[in-house]
Amino acid sequence: LFLGPKGDSQSPIKDLDSIRSMLAGNGPGALFDLPWIPFYLIIIYAFHPILGLVALCGAIVLVLLTLATEVMTRGPAARLNESAQRRSALVEAGRRNAEVLVAMGMSSRVAAKWHSANRDYLGFTRRVSNVSATTGVLSRTIRQMLQSGILGVGAWLVINGEATAGIIIAGSILFTRALAPVDAAIANAKGFVTARQGWKRLNALLAVMPEHDDVLRLPDP
């Protein structure tokens, strides 16, 4: 494989594993459920326009939060992968040239470079995890507040005689079902970003590789 002089020989396999992990997880299911959100919102709106307006505002807030999560994790996730590759490359180089490093007294220097790369890796890991955890908690909090709001608005409509008691339960169930894919997408945002970056790197790698090597034709002996 053409990986360049500083390439990590395990990087394509790691990228393939990240794509496989994303496809095998709950992320794709959330993506397939996202197109059903307007359908649920229309049914809630049919119960009562005010319920539909509250549900629509809540869905817009959570969708914007999902987009913000993707934007905030894109840069740190890319730098996290770069630092992981640099750290792995140093480990592989040290293992392959261990005798030479010890003989030339360079083992401490290589260890210092690895510790520096490892600090960068841990720092970017912490940043990505903090963003994902913060947005996940914020998403669940907003969703619970919106669900309570739906129940409160439904109760107010029942008291004023504009809806029945069954609409409160039905509206709450449909609203929870409508926003569940958004919550799942936020929870799997890190996996989405990692898999997408791995997909781009694999495409870039395959673009510089010919599908079939040219065969050198030799004369008959």
Side-chain angles (χ1 to χ4, degrees):
L1 296 180
F2 178 78
L3 297 172
K6 298 182 179 180
D8 182 5
S9 60
Q10 299 297 320
S11 180
I13 298 187
K14 292 177 182 177
D15 292 335
L16 191 60
D17 284 340
S18 67
I19 297 174
R20 180 192 58 79
S21 298
M22 190 274 293
L23 293 177
N26 298 326
L31 293 180
F32 286 121
D33 287 340
L34 285 176
W36 288 92
I37 293 178
F39 176 75
Y40 291 121
L41 294 179
I42 291 174
I43 295 178
I44 296 174
Y45 183 85
F47 289 159
H48 197 281
I50 296 179
L51 288 175
L53 182 61
V54 173
L56 178 61
C57 293
I60 291 175
V61 170
L62 290 179
V63 169
L64 291 178
L65 183 60
T66 304
L67 297 177
T69 302
E70 197 276 337
V71 171
M72 288 187 294
T73 56
R74 184 187 306 167
R79 290 190 289 272
L80 172 63
N81 182 76
E82 293 174 0
S83 63
Q85 290 186 9
R86 185 167 59 253
R87 189 182 69 158
S88 299
L90 287 171
V91 171
E92 180 64 22
R95 185 195 62 81
R96 191 169 54 246
N97 303 289
E99 296 180 356
V100 177
L101 294 175
V102 173
M104 300 182 66
M106 298 174 61
S107 56
S108 60
R109 175 66 174 171
V110 174
K113 290 177 68 66
W114 181 87
H115 283 299
S116 176
N118 189 55
R119 282 194 299 270
D120 293 340
Y121 172 78
L122 295 177
F124 290 126
T125 300
R126 185 165 54 251
R127 288 181 58 183
V128 174
S129 299
N130 288 342
V131 171
S132 300
T134 301
T135 52
V137 171
L138 186 60
S139 170
R140 287 191 294 270
T141 302
I142 293 176
R143 187 162 58 87
Q144 291 175 358
M145 293 174 60
L146 290 172
Q147 189 171 358
S148 300
I150 285 287
L151 292 174
V153 172
W156 179 76
L157 293 175
V158 171
I159 292 173
N160 288 275
E162 299 184 23
T164 61
I167 287 181
I168 301 178
I169 305 301
S172 177
I173 294 174
L174 287 175
F175 184 72
T176 301
R177 188 67 189 86
L179 299 186
V182 180
D183 197 21
I186 294 176
N188 293 276
K190 181 180 177 181
F192 286 139
V193 174
T194 303
R196 186 183 61 185
Q197 292 174 348
W199 181 268
K200 290 182 179 179
R201 285 189 296 269
L202 288 176
N203 284 335
L205 177 63
L206 295 176
V208 299
M209 294 176 56
E211 294 185 1
H212 302 285
D213 295 331
D214 294 333
V215 180
L216 179 62
R217 298 294 181 181
L218 297 176
D220 294 334

